[in-house]
Amino acid sequence: MKLAIHGLGRMGMQIARKLAEAGHEVYAHNRSSEPIEEAVRYGCKAAHSKDDVVAAFGNKPALVWVMLPEDITDDEIAEWSALLSEGSTIINGANSDFRRTKDLNLVVQAAQKTLIDIGVSGGVWGYERGFPLMVGCDQESAVDHIAPILDDLTKPDGAWGYFGPSGSGNYVKMVHNAIEYGMMQS
């Protein structure tokens, strides 16, 4: 499957690497070039600008996974919504507030795109052990379409699940974090 990963921090780089190694065509995009060059060494293709990502998909619908800190994610996704072709899909991989995700979904839908929110867990071990992924989207068919990348990201011991409409993935991730942090504190 062809996709772009925007944000090559710890989690974004692991996702890009795991998908490239699984045979997906991954375009690596980041605001600084050093992580892009690292991703290229893992088999990704360089996308030094958003225009590079748009050009890689031409006039066809794109798939862009935004893996950035929560405080900048909404603006970045709104910008992608304006740039990508109609019918494109944007994945929000941030630990976003589920209520804000639902509002952002309206912005993306107004631009004739689809937003999928995915709560990503697994930390620094996700690459080796497989990521637990919590997915929300108004269009279950869009989730079905990206199932091959979700399946590859969960190998060998992770799992993914579709939890319902927009915001559901972020909501389940919030509950997951509350349980996890509570257990760590006890």
Side-chain angles (χ1 to χ4, degrees):
M1 182 167 274
K2 183 177 182 177
L3 74 152
I5 306 291
H6 175 183
L8 299 172
R10 284 188 183 147
M11 299 292 280
M13 183 65 78
Q14 289 183 49
I15 289 169
R17 180 180 181 183
K18 194 166 183 88
L19 291 175
E21 290 175 351
H24 297 276
E25 186 178 355
V26 180
Y27 287 83
H29 175 64
N30 199 69
R31 69 178 175 184
S32 57
S33 61
E34 294 84 11
I36 296 172
E37 301 314 316
E38 180 181 346
V40 167
R41 290 193 297 274
Y42 298 135
C44 297
K45 297 180 180 185
H48 291 281
S49 69
K50 289 179 180 169
D51 289 338
D52 290 345
V53 172
V54 171
F57 288 92
N59 294 329
K60 296 181 180 176
L63 174 59
V64 176
W65 188 316
V66 178
M67 200 68 195
L68 296 169
E70 186 266 337
D71 60 330
I72 61 172
T73 295
D74 290 7
D75 290 340
E76 290 295 326
I77 288 176
E79 190 173 321
W80 280 111
S81 293
L83 291 173
L84 298 173
S85 297
E86 187 174 311
S88 293
T89 300
I90 303 168
I91 297 172
N92 174 1
N95 277 335
S96 296
D97 181 307
F98 71 96
R99 293 164 290 209
R100 284 185 41 213
T101 298
K102 291 166 71 172
D103 292 340
L104 182 60
N105 183 49
L106 298 175
V107 172
V108 174
Q109 284 181 341
Q112 304 298 310
K113 288 32 170 227
T114 300
L115 180 67
I116 301 174
D117 55 287
I118 300 182
V120 181
S121 193
V124 295
W125 304 282
Y127 170 76
E128 291 178 12
R129 296 180 185 170
F131 293 97
L133 304 171
M134 294 138 268
V135 183
C137 181
D138 285 351
Q139 298 172 325
E140 193 170 355
S141 61
V143 177
D144 293 341
H145 178 73
I146 67 162
I149 66 172
L150 301 176
D151 291 340
D152 284 334
L153 286 172
T154 60
K155 292 177 183 175
D157 297 318
W160 71 271
Y162 170 69
F163 290 94
S166 180
S168 297
N170 289 143
Y171 183 83
V172 173
K173 178 65 162 71
M174 175 188 68
V175 173
H176 164 278
N177 284 353
I179 295 167
E180 179 182 36
Y181 298 158
M183 290 173 68
M184 290 187 324
Q185 286 299 314
S186 66

